[in-house]
């Protein structure tokens, strides 16, 4: 059986779960369609919350990045995420859940508008978060296209594979809303958690076992540096500690927090979340490093599918199809982002500016479904243009993760600091926009030179032997012409100066500021602006303070 047929069977099962098995025919109001009436049980809540955060970045993106930078990639995201994300869910997610249930909020913008008595600024914040979330949705379409193309041996082109994934996701989100999406995410999370364990075990044994693989990698100068943090400078490693702050600011995570039936559901999630992260990231990073020795010379865009390449070459077709379905389960977690964007459009624009009053609850659901179709089509068209042009991890870090992490001080101030103001929030938002635009411009300016400086080794070039070769007559072994002792290949420089400016540097993938990723100055600048601008502007009204901080108001 061809592996793609197994993937198609999986897609059919997902479609059934999302559209038919858990479709609520009475979903004619916004709260039921977008939040499943705030009644998700503990198991579905945990699995869907984790699944919606572990998209193509987790398997395809992390393995592709580990292919380039080594095993230290696990420490970049997984180690800090296992601590920071559960803490944000516990301290921020639970409070957001309580306020949402008390005041009827369905999105972050609804809460912030009411908390800071802002209208136009809320619309600006909607536009900013929507633009930053779109790259995340595009990543899902790219991952689906890469998976089907590679696992089918090219029989299903990237464009067709991406279209199939976009159509399936669009269909069950369109019909099933949050309830269908949550059940699909629960099913998919179970599948790709199992994928991580089995892929690590089966592929590892097929390739010779963990000890043998590590010894082979360590013996070759070209891959030995992948087993250390040598390819990840300290400043960059430190910068990644700020990335997990993005989790609670992602609209799909915040909206998912509001779907829990009880606050107690968060407790199990906080405890089990780190274990789920380890089950996904450990095998993904490990297999990415293994692939670096098997398939040298891939570009960042091509490295997105290294796990699928390993499957195609080292597993029976049926097993490769099952593993492909597991990868697809992770890739298709973009469904929650699509639903989140639809929820924001419907609640923050359509309903807020009179659509609900004019067209009623049914009209609100229709508007949300129309937006789902529109965003899927746009994401697919953009994904077609980005094939092999950018790494999945690169896109996520550059735009989505960094931008949302820099918005975290806004949410913290709104929830825990009564003196914070809408003008502080606006200043922080403008800072984020300026940084994202600057990052985009600096990246474009340095792309050509980065491709030259950090280009991978040629795929088919006759490279020198990495191990010493015995000389005729019993002479000393040599590994290079002229009898010179072979030494480890010097890695490319970690950073390259952009346009002669020693502050803005370019690494193999991202622009840095003095060696730090932009997320570091973005978060710090956002927090400082939130603080000082709020202190210098008029605070919210007494009524609003009493509404959100009743225990802190003197009677």
């Amino acid at each position: 059986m061809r592996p793609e047929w197994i993937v198609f069977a999986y897609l059919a099962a997902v479609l059934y779960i999302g559209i038919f098995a858990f479709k609520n025919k009475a979903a004619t109001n916004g709260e039921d369609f977008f939040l499943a009436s705030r009644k998700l049980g503990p198991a579905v809540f945990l699995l869907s919350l984790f699944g919606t955060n572990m998209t193509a970045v987790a398997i395809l993106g992390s393995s592709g990045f580990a292919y380039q930078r080594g095993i230290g990639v696990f420490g970049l995201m997984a180690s800090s995420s296992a601590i920071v994300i559960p803490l944000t869910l516990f301290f921020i997610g639970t409070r957001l859940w309580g306020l949402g249930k008390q005041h009827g909020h369905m999105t972050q913008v609804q809460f912030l508008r009411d908390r800071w008595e802002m209208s136009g600024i809320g619309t600006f914040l909607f536009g900013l978060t929507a633009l930053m979330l779109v790259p995340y949705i595009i990543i899902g379409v790219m991952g689906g296209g890469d998976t089907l193309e590679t696992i089918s041996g090219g029989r299903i082109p990237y464009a067709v594979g991406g279209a199939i994934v976009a159509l399936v996701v669009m269909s069950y989100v369109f019909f099933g809303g949050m309830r269908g999406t949550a059940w699909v995410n629960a099913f998919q999370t179970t599948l790709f958690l199992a994928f991580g364990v089995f892929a690590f075990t089966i592929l590892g044994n097929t390739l010779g076992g963990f000890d043998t693989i590590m010894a082979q990698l360590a013996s070759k100068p070209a891959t030995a540096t992948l087993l250390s943090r040598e390819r990840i400078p300290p400043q960059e490693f430190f910068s990644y500690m700020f990335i997990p702050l993005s989790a609670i600011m992602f609209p799909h995570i915040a909206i998912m927090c509001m779907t829990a039936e009880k606050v107690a559901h968060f407790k199990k999630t906080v405890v089990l979340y780190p274990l789920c992260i380890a089950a996904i990231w450990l095998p993904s990073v490990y297999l990415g490093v293994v692939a670096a020795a098997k398939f040298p010379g891939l570009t960042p865009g091509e490295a997105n599918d290294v796990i699928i390449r390993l499957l195609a070459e080292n597993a029976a077709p049926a097993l490769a199809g099952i593993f492909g379905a597991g990868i697809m389960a992770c890739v298709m977690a973009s469904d929650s982002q699509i639903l989140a964007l639809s929820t924001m459009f419907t609640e923050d624009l359509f309903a807020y500016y009179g659509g609900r009053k004019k067209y009623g609850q049914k009209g609100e659901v229709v508007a949300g479904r129309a937006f789902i179709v529109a965003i899927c089509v746009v994401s697919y068209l953009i994904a077609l243009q980005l094939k092999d042009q950018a790494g999945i991890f690169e896109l996520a870090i550059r735009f989505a993760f960094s931008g949302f992490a820099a918005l975290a001080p806004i949410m913290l101030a709104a929830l825990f600091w009564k003196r914070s103001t809408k003008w502080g929030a606006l200043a922080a938002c403008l800072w984020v926009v300026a940084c994202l635009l600057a990052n985009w411009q600096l990246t474009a300016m340095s792309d050509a030179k980065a491709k030259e400086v950090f280009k991978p080794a040629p795929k088919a070039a006759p490279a020198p032997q990495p191990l010493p070769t015995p000389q005729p007559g019993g002479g000393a072994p040599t590994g290079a012409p002229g009898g010179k002792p072979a030494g480890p290949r010097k890695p490319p420089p970690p950073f390259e100066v952009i346009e002669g400016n020693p502050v803005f540097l370019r690494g193999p993938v991202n622009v840095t500021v003095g060696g730090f990723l932009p997320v570091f100055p973005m978060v710090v600048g956002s927090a400082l602006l939130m603080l000082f601008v709020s202190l210098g502007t008029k605070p919210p009204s007494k009524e609003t303070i009493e509404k959100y901080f009743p225990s802190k108001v003197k009677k």
Side-chain angles (χ1 to χ4, degrees):
M1 178 185 290
R2 290 181 176 178
E4 62 264 31
W5 292 113
I6 298 177
V7 176
F8 287 147
Y10 162 76
L11 293 176
V14 164
L15 202 57
Y16 174 78
I17 293 173
I19 297 178
F20 301 107
F22 298 98
K23 180 185 174 184
N24 184 352
K25 296 181 180 179
T28 56
N29 64 80
E31 186 171 67
D32 189 79
F33 183 80
F34 295 116
L35 293 184
S37 297
R38 305 180 194 267
K39 291 184 179 179
L40 289 186
V44 175
F45 177 69
L46 165 64
L47 292 172
S48 58
L49 183 62
F50 178 76
T52 194
N53 200 30
M54 293 293 110
T55 59
V57 174
I59 289 183
L60 301 185
S62 62
S63 60
F65 202 48
Y67 173 93
Q68 304 168 57
R69 309 294 290 280
I71 208 162
V73 167
F74 181 82
L76 291 184
M77 290 286 287
S79 297
S80 54
S81 294
I83 299 173
V84 176
I85 293 179
L87 289 177
T88 58
L89 290 175
F90 184 76
F91 289 106
I92 299 176
T94 53
R95 181 158 171 77
L96 199 59
W97 171 85
L99 293 173
K101 194 168 186 177
Q102 180 180 357
H103 302 296
H105 305 315
M106 296 172 62
T107 70
Q108 296 160 302
V109 172
Q110 280 184 322
F111 161 65
L112 295 175
R113 268 183 173 146
D114 193 46
R115 163 69 179 86
W116 281 321
E117 304 163 342
M118 64 184 187
S119 176
I121 298 176
T123 303
F124 172 74
L125 184 59
F126 158 80
L128 175 59
T129 54
L131 286 174
M132 291 194 301
L133 192 59
V134 168
Y136 220 57
I137 298 172
I138 295 169
I139 285 169
V141 179
M142 292 172 61
D146 280 332
T147 300
L148 280 173
E149 181 181 44
T150 305
I151 207 168
S152 68
R155 289 184 293 270
I156 301 175
Y158 172 86
V160 176
I164 291 172
V165 170
L167 186 61
V168 170
V169 171
M170 182 183 71
S171 298
Y172 69 73
V173 175
F174 182 94
F175 289 105
M178 176 58 79
R179 185 172 284 101
T181 300
W183 278 98
V184 167
N185 273 329
F187 171 68
Q188 291 183 150
T189 302
T190 303
L191 188 60
F192 68 66
L193 284 173
F195 160 82
V197 176
F198 287 111
F200 180 88
T201 304
I202 294 175
L203 282 179
N205 290 336
T206 302
L207 295 170
F210 181 82
D211 292 340
T212 301
I213 293 172
M214 291 296 103
Q216 290 174 347
L217 291 171
S219 69
K220 300 177 182 180
T223 55
T225 57
L226 293 171
L227 301 182
S228 68
R229 216 181 65 190
E230 183 177 338
R231 299 190 183 189
I232 305 173
Q235 300 97 319
E236 186 177 0
F237 195 91
F238 172 76
S239 302
Y240 272 91
M241 295 177 62
F242 292 84
I243 293 292
L245 292 173
S246 63
I248 199 62
M249 283 308 296
F250 273 113
H252 55 286
I253 301 295
I255 291 172
M256 188 65 70
C257 286
M258 297 183 188
T259 64
E261 186 175 12
K262 300 177 181 178
V263 71
H265 295 351
F266 284 86
K267 295 181 180 178
K268 293 181 179 178
T269 301
V270 169
V271 172
L272 296 175
Y273 204 98
L275 300 178
C276 293
I277 285 179
I280 290 296
W281 281 77
L282 272 175
S284 298
V285 171
Y286 165 67
L287 293 175
V289 173
V290 171
K294 298 284 290 184
F295 314 111
L298 301 181
T299 66
E302 294 170 335
N304 290 335
D305 60 4
V306 290
I307 287 186
I308 314 170
R309 291 173 187 246
L310 286 173
L311 290 174
E313 290 196 4
N314 299 280
L319 191 58
I322 293 172
F323 282 153
I327 294 174
M328 192 66 74
C330 198
V331 166
M332 291 174 60
S334 58
D335 51 9
S336 296
Q337 290 98 41
I338 294 169
L339 183 62
L341 266 184
S342 174
T343 305
M344 292 166 60
F345 166 78
T346 306
E347 297 299 318
D348 301 334
L349 291 186
F350 180 84
Y352 185 77
Y353 288 106
R356 178 187 295 158
K357 185 177 181 181
K358 185 175 181 180
Y359 299 103
Q361 293 280 357
K362 289 186 177 180
E364 184 178 12
V365 174
V366 170
R369 284 174 166 161
F371 190 81
I372 288 170
V373 175
I375 198 64
C376 285
V377 171
V378 170
S379 298
Y380 171 70
L381 294 176
I382 297 176
L384 290 181
Q385 304 301 316
L386 292 177
K387 175 176 170 53
D388 293 337
Q389 298 300 312
I392 283 176
F393 206 87
E394 172 189 358
L395 284 174
I397 295 299
R398 189 184 302 171
F399 298 109
F401 283 121
S402 297
F404 283 112
L407 292 180
I410 294 177
M411 182 60 71
L412 286 169
L415 290 172
F416 301 107
W417 186 30
K418 66 180 180 179
R419 183 62 179 78
S420 61
T421 71
K422 61 183 178 182
W423 302 113
L426 177 61
C429 286
L430 291 174
W431 167 254
V432 172
V433 171
C435 290
L436 289 175
L437 291 175
N439 190 4
W440 188 322
Q441 179 63 25
L442 289 170
T443 301
M445 291 168 54
S446 58
D447 263 342
K449 190 164 187 180
K451 290 178 181 177
E452 176 185 347
V453 173
F454 303 107
K455 64 182 178 181
K459 297 180 185 179
Q465 294 295 322
L467 296 178
T469 304
Q471 294 297 297
T478 63
K484 295 180 180 180
R489 187 179 68 177
K490 185 179 180 181
F495 298 109
E496 186 72 16
V497 175
I498 299 177
E499 298 294 325
N501 190 326
V503 176
F504 299 110
L505 308 174
R506 174 63 189 259
V509 176
N510 290 303
V511 169
T512 64
V513 182
F516 295 94
L517 289 181
V519 66
F520 174 54
M522 286 172 69
V523 172
V524 173
S526 176
L528 292 175
L529 285 169
M530 189 76 231
L531 172 65
F532 290 114
V533 175
S534 291
L535 290 175
T537 53
K538 183 180 178 181
S541 66
K542 183 179 179 181
E543 291 74 21
T544 297
I545 299 299
E546 290 175 346
K547 182 177 181 179
Y548 286 99
F549 301 91
S551 62
K552 297 182 180 181
V553 177
K554 295 181 179 180
K555 300 293 184 181

